[in-house]
Amino acid sequence: MSLTDGIIIVLGLSLFEIVSSVDNAVVNADVLSTMSNRARHWFLFYGILIAVFIIRGLLPLVIVYLSNPALGLAGAFTATFSADESIRRAIESQKPVLLCGGGVYLVYLFLYWLFMETKEYAFFLESFVHRRLSFWFYAAASVLLLTVIWIAQRIEPAIAFGAVVGSTAFFITNGFKHNAEAKEKELQDRRLSDISKIIYLEMLDATFSVDGVLGAFAFTISVPLILLGNGLGAYIVRYFTIHGIATVKKYRYLKNGAMYSIGLLGLIMLAEGLGRETPVWLPTGITFAIVSVFFWLSRRALIAEKALQP
C-alpha cells in the first residue's frame, strides 16, 4: 500500500467516524449539560482515552480474532502490527467472512433508518418509505440475508455464516440503542448522580462505536490505519461535543448523508466479500461525495430558514 493510499484511507475513516457519530455527540452534549463542571471535564478527558484507545483500539482486534480464531487473542494482536507474510495471508483468507458480516450489518443499519426511524426528510422518497412502507423493513432485511447466504454458501460456507453473524450483531446492538433512546430523558434528570451518567454514556459510546468500526473495514483491514482514522474522527467528535454541537444540530441532513454512506459502504463490503474487487479510493470517494451533497442541502435549508425570519 502506498503512502497516498494510506492518507486517502485515513481521511475517509475520519470523515466516516465523524458523520456516523453525530447522534452520539448530540446525546452526549444533552446529558453533559446536566452534569457538574468537574464531571464534564472528567468525561471529556478520560472519556476520549477510553473511546479512542480502549473501545476503538480493542474492538478491531477482537473482530480480527473472531474472523480468524486460529490466531488466538495474542496472535491477533501480533498480527495487527506484524509484517510476517504468512500472518497477512491468514488474515486475508478470512477477509470475505469479515466483509460479509460487516456488510450485512451496515446495510441493515441503513434499511432500518430508511424504513423505521423518524428523520428529517431530505427527499420525498424518504418520507414515502417511512410513512407508507415502514412495515417492509423486516421483509427487505430477510430477503437481503437470504440472497447473501444463497450466493455465499456456493463460494464458502464460512462466508454465509459471517452474514448471519452480521445480522445477529445488528439486532443485538439495535436493541441497546433503543434502550439508550428510552433512557436519554432519564439521564437528563439532574437528580441522577454524575457517576451513573458517565457510566451510561461510556456504554452508549461503546454501542455506537460498533457502527464506525465495522464500517472501517470497508476502507481497509489494516488495524493500525483503522486505529489512526477512527481515533482522529472520535477526537473531532469530542471537540464538537464541547464547542460546536449547536452548530452541528443546525445542519439537519448530515444524519441522512451518514446513513446513505453507511448503506453504500455496506454494499461495497458485500461485493468484496462475495468476490468483487473495488478500488482502494472508492469508499473514501463515496463518503466525501455523499457528505458534501447533504452538507450543501443542509446549508441551503439553513439559509432559506434565515431568509424567512423577520
Side-chain angles (χ1 to χ4, degrees):
M1 181 185 298
S2 69
L3 177 61
T4 302
D5 288 344
I7 293 172
I8 290 172
I9 288 169
V10 169
L11 290 175
L13 285 167
S14 300
L15 180 62
F16 179 73
E17 174 68 26
I18 292 166
V19 297
S20 64
S21 299
V22 168
D23 280 358
N24 191 15
V26 170
V27 172
N28 285 350
D30 289 341
V31 176
L32 284 170
S33 67
T34 68
M35 295 163 60
S36 66
N37 285 331
R38 181 181 178 185
R40 280 200 295 268
H41 288 306
W42 193 98
F43 173 77
L44 294 171
F45 179 75
Y46 291 102
I48 196 168
L49 297 181
I50 295 170
V52 174
F53 296 105
I54 297 180
I55 296 174
R56 287 164 180 81
L58 289 180
L59 192 54
L61 295 174
V62 171
I63 291 172
V64 169
Y65 162 70
L66 292 176
S67 66
N68 198 339
L71 289 174
L73 283 172
F77 179 81
T78 303
T80 298
F81 303 98
S82 174
D84 190 317
E85 185 64 22
S86 62
I87 293 177
R88 190 190 68 80
R89 284 198 299 269
I91 295 176
E92 284 282 345
S93 68
Q94 297 303 312
K95 181 179 176 181
V97 178
L98 175 59
L99 291 177
C100 239
V104 167
Y105 180 96
L106 292 185
V107 175
Y108 271 21
L109 199 63
F110 167 72
L111 291 175
Y112 186 86
W113 170 81
L114 182 64
F115 283 92
M116 304 289 285
E117 286 189 17
T118 302
K119 63 182 75 65
E120 294 279 0
Y121 302 120
F123 307 116
F124 169 76
L125 180 63
E126 295 172 357
S127 172
F128 178 79
V129 171
H130 178 230
R131 291 174 175 172
R132 302 289 184 88
L133 303 176
S134 60
F135 56 89
W136 280 98
F137 163 71
Y138 295 101
S142 300
V143 170
L144 172 70
L145 183 62
L146 181 64
T147 303
V148 171
I149 290 176
W150 181 73
I151 297 172
Q153 57 88 26
R154 299 169 70 181
I155 303 171
E156 171 63 48
I159 300 176
F161 178 71
V164 175
V165 171
S167 172
T168 304
F170 167 78
F171 285 107
I172 291 174
T173 57
N174 196 52
F176 277 110
K177 289 178 184 178
H178 271 293
N179 182 60
E181 290 173 0
K183 293 285 186 181
E184 183 182 349
K185 289 186 178 180
E186 293 181 26
L187 285 173
Q188 294 180 39
D189 187 340
R190 294 182 182 273
R191 291 173 296 178
L192 289 177
S193 70
D194 287 341
I195 293 176
S196 65
K197 292 178 182 179
I198 288 173
I199 292 172
Y200 198 84
L201 285 177
E202 292 298 344
M203 292 174 60
L204 183 63
D205 185 73
T207 303
F208 273 94
S209 70
V210 174
D211 303 349
V213 172
L214 284 176
F217 286 100
F219 295 83
T220 180
I221 61 168
S222 170
V223 175
L225 287 181
I226 292 174
L227 295 179
L228 182 59
N230 279 9
L232 178 60
Y235 175 81
I236 294 172
V237 169
R238 281 295 197 280
Y239 177 86
F240 279 128
T241 299
I242 308 169
H243 300 288
I245 201 63
T247 302
V248 172
K249 285 181 178 181
K250 293 178 182 178
Y251 290 85
R252 61 173 68 176
Y253 302 129
L254 285 181
K255 174 68 180 291
N256 302 52
M259 298 313 299
Y260 284 110
S261 298
I262 284 171
L264 286 173
L265 290 176
L267 290 176
I268 290 174
M269 292 178 76
L270 284 176
E272 289 194 347
L274 297 174
R276 300 285 183 179
E277 293 293 330
T278 58
V280 68
W281 53 264
L282 186 60
T284 298
I286 284 176
T287 303
F288 271 91
I290 292 176
V291 171
S292 297
V293 168
F294 282 92
F295 178 81
W296 175 77
L297 289 173
S298 301
R299 183 166 178 78
R300 186 180 67 173
L302 187 59
I303 292 172
E305 285 180 6
K306 288 182 178 179
L308 292 174
Q309 291 177 358

